[in-house]
Amino acid sequence: LRNYAMAASRWRSSLAAAAVVVVAIAAVRSIPEPERTRAALFPSGEFGEFFSVAAEHGPFNKFKRVRGADETGGARMEFHEAHTGDCGGGDAAGCAASSCAPPMHIHTRQNETFRVLSGRFQYVVDGAITVVDDIGATAVVPAGAKHTFCRAPGMAPNETLVVSFALEPALDTEHYFATMIGLFQDSAMRPDPIHLVFLVCAYDMRLADIPRPLHEAMCLSLRLLGPLLGYKTRYDAYATPR
């Protein structure tokens, strides 16, 4: 009888926990989804312009698509990214002082190649800081390495850093950028952080500031719960026009 009572108690606890999860998911799903504006990377369907989130929300990276999986047979995806003076820049400690530097992150299945098009480029790979002054110079970040980049110290406020970055293979990363930029724009630069982690996991990236075992556990949980919470990896409104 004692064993039966203990088993019944465990079942009641499990059912109570499951009920809490169901209620929480229902509560989240009941929140109206924000309006999705046609934000994608190419406002007019042209590839020749940089696209950024609306300026009233503060400085933000500006992107221009160069080529994607469709043009390269899936071999690579290439974008140009611009950091203007209002982004700030890096310092001797890295890129944390730049408001436009991406968070330190990892591409688990892709190598990334940077090529400097204008300005001074500072990048951080596994804690090592490098400054590049030469236009046309390249830097390769292998899959699995922690990295970020920014305007290097010493750039004048009116100078813009422009870099080309290519990810190999292309995978579906172009859709990641379209969705991420759209989410930032439609939330006035305050997107749901759990949704962003869901995206990072879905597109084979990891955030270096989250301990890896915890990050993997979050990815596993969000793979199951994310769709129930209404999270998507792509939206029609943010889709790359063709």
Side-chain angles (χ1 to χ4, degrees):
L1 290 176
R2 183 179 180 182
N3 290 339
Y4 174 81
M6 292 177 62
S9 177
R10 285 196 294 268
W11 272 105
R12 284 195 296 269
S13 297
S14 299
L15 289 173
V20 169
V21 171
V22 170
V23 170
I25 291 173
V28 172
R29 292 296 298 269
S30 69
I31 299 173
E33 189 170 306
E35 181 181 355
R36 305 291 175 190
T37 59
R38 174 62 68 177
L41 292 167
F42 327 105
S44 62
E46 298 295 332
F47 297 165
E49 301 177 6
F50 277 101
F51 170 75
S52 179
V53 172
E56 63 265 23
H57 299 317
F60 191 73
N61 321 52
K62 296 177 174 63
F63 296 94
K64 179 169 69 175
R65 180 187 186 279
V66 179
R67 59 183 61 88
D70 290 351
E71 295 94 328
T72 65
R76 63 192 273 125
M77 180 212 79
E78 184 178 353
F79 276 36
H80 290 174
E81 183 169 347
H83 292 193
T84 52
D86 57 355
C87 291
D91 53 31
C95 289
S98 169
S99 62
C100 294
M104 190 75 74
H105 62 285
I106 296 165
H107 298 281
T108 63
R109 298 172 54 201
Q110 294 166 298
N111 297 321
E112 186 166 14
T113 300
F114 294 101
R115 180 166 55 92
V116 183
L117 303 179
S118 72
R120 301 182 72 230
F121 177 60
Q122 176 165 298
Y123 65 100
V124 185
V125 179
D126 288 336
I129 300 171
T130 304
V131 175
V132 179
D133 292 307
D134 299 328
I135 304 301
T138 61
V140 178
V141 179
K146 302 175 183 179
H147 63 285
T148 187
F149 68 94
C150 56
R151 296 170 76 248
M155 286 186 66
N158 63 342
E159 291 182 307
T160 298
L161 168 69
V162 181
V163 295
S164 163
F165 69 91
L167 289 161
E168 299 172 305
L171 303 181
D172 288 329
T173 312
E174 183 175 337
H175 296 289
Y176 164 79
F177 282 101
T179 303
M180 179 269 294
I181 289 172
L183 291 176
F184 268 92
Q185 172 167 288
D186 285 342
S187 64
M189 301 295 287
R190 293 180 177 86
D192 177 352
I194 303 301
H195 195 169
L196 295 185
V197 175
F198 173 76
L199 280 181
V200 165
C201 294
Y203 286 100
D204 299 298
M205 288 177 272
R206 299 294 184 266
L207 299 172
D209 288 340
I210 301 177
R212 190 63 179 269
L214 175 59
H215 206 319
E216 296 302 331
M218 292 174 70
C219 288
L220 178 60
S221 299
L222 288 171
R223 190 177 302 127
L224 300 173
L225 295 177
L228 297 177
L229 294 171
Y231 297 153
K232 299 178 182 178
T233 56
R234 63 180 72 177
Y235 297 86
D236 290 343
Y238 304 151
T240 302
R242 283 286 182 265

